[in-house]
Each structure stands twice: as C-alpha cells, then as structure tokens.
Amino acid sequence: VIAAGGIFDRDDVERVFKLGASAVQVGTAFVATEECDADYRFKQAFVDARSEDVTIIKSPVGMPGRAIRNKFIEDVENGKRKPFKCAYQCIKTCNYKEAPYCIAEALLNACKGDLENGFAFCGSEVHRISGVTTVKKVIDRLFGERR
Ligand SMILES: Cc1cc2nc3c(=O)[nH]c(=O)nc-3n(C[C@H](O)[C@H](O)[C@H](O)COP(=O)(O)O)c2cc1C
C-alpha cells in the first residue's frame, strides 16, 4: 500500500507506516522547491496559501479537485465562462462544448505563472509550506533523523 495525500513531515510518514503503508507518495511538498520547474509565481501561490484558501472544485471533467482559491476559481463559481478551443482532447469525459473552461489550459497557464488565467491544484497541507526550499531538505523533513 502506498499512502498519499497530505504527507508533509516525519510524523506523517510514521503515522501511515504504523497503519501498514509501505511507501508514501508526496506531491505538494515538492512544488515549493528550487528543483521544481514551475514558474516562481506558481511556487509562491503554494507558499502564500492559508488553510482557508484551499477549496474543493468540480473540474470540467466531473471530478473533484483540491485547489488554491483565486479569482479564476471565483469567476467560474459565479458562472463566468472562459472561452477556449479544445486543443488537447485530453480526457474523453470532457464535454468541451459545455465546459466553462479548459482544465488542461488552466493548469498549464498556472504552472507557467499566469494565475489570472488558471489555478493551482494542491494538497490539503499546502498551508504548512513556509518558503521555497530544496528537494534535499524536503527529503530530510520526511525521512531524516530527529534532532
Ligand atoms: C501541482 C499538482 C498537480 C497534480 N496533478 C495531478 C494529476 O494530474 N492527476 C492526479 O491524479 N493527481 C494530481 N495531483 C494530486 C497528487 O497526486 C496528490 O497531490 C498526491 O496524492 C500527494 O498528495 P500531496 O500533494 O498532499 O502530497 C496533483 C498534485 C499537485 C500538487
């Protein structure tokens, strides 16, 4: 069993290992690292996010996703549409003629730093990120010796 979701430090790893997991999958904690190739504005959104900024959205393909609330998300919630041509045909379940925006375009825009025309998916513990660090330090925080 690989445990995933909200794993941030050694206590989290120990907790899920005690429950029987044999590995962890970690996403969010690696975004705010120097090695991550996303734009610095994307990383900054992770650094700035407070727990109350995290929301669950329903993506255009019908699945829920946890994301950092911003104006783009609020616009869509308020019924605004973000016109697009379907450039990717990435997911069969997307009815692109009805969808209010293109999820692939929104995520790519955000990753490139254009958070006005997109948004960032994130893990539930994003608020625990306090700055941009290195992969080595993230690994140390997850698996290093206790000081
Ligand atoms: C920037 C980012 C992009 C993600 N993209 C996807 C995705 O395309 N598909 C998916 O199934 N999960 C995606 N996830 C969810 C990760 O699989 C999830 O974060 C992972 O299980 C670890 O949880 P954590 O982010 O709390 O560490 C994404 C997560 C982040 C932070």
Side-chain angles (χ1 to χ4, degrees):
V1 172
I2 300 172
I7 302 209
F8 189 76
D9 65 14
R10 198 187 162 87
D11 288 342
D12 300 325
V13 174
E14 278 180 3
R15 193 177 63 249
V16 296
F17 278 13
K18 268 192 197 134
L19 289 170
S22 44
V24 290
Q25 172 183 309
V26 177
T28 298
F30 287 108
V31 172
T33 60
E34 286 164 19
E35 291 89 342
C36 170
D37 64 359
D39 187 90
Y40 76 94
R41 287 164 289 190
F42 186 83
K43 298 180 193 179
Q44 194 59 41
F46 277 61
V47 173
D48 293 341
R50 302 161 301 170
S51 51
E52 57 267 36
D53 300 325
V54 176
T55 182
I56 307 264
I57 62 153
K58 188 169 176 255
S59 93
V61 294
M63 290 187 285
R66 187 175 279 108
I68 303 171
R69 172 177 285 283
N70 68 357
K71 184 163 183 305
F72 186 97
I73 287 177
E74 278 162 13
D75 283 352
V76 172
E77 276 174 358
N78 292 328
K80 205 164 169 181
R81 300 179 68 84
K82 313 272 182 179
F84 64 94
K85 291 202 178 89
C86 179
Y88 304 102
Q89 292 163 19
C90 56
I91 300 187
K92 279 185 190 160
T93 48
C94 178
N95 178 358
Y96 77 92
K97 288 183 181 147
E98 303 285 325
Y101 62 93
C102 168
I103 184 73
E105 209 167 88
L107 295 175
L108 271 173
N109 285 341
C111 186
K112 288 188 269 184
D114 181 5
L115 284 143
E116 280 173 20
N117 293 301
F119 62 88
F121 277 140
C122 69
S124 62
E125 301 302 294
V126 65
H127 60 277
R128 292 167 72 185
I129 293 177
S130 57
V132 175
T133 182
T134 62
V135 167
K136 183 172 187 324
K137 286 190 174 148
V138 172
I139 296 286
D140 278 351
R141 193 175 66 220
L142 291 165
F143 301 108
E145 294 291 313
R146 281 189 198 284
R147 272 154 227 189

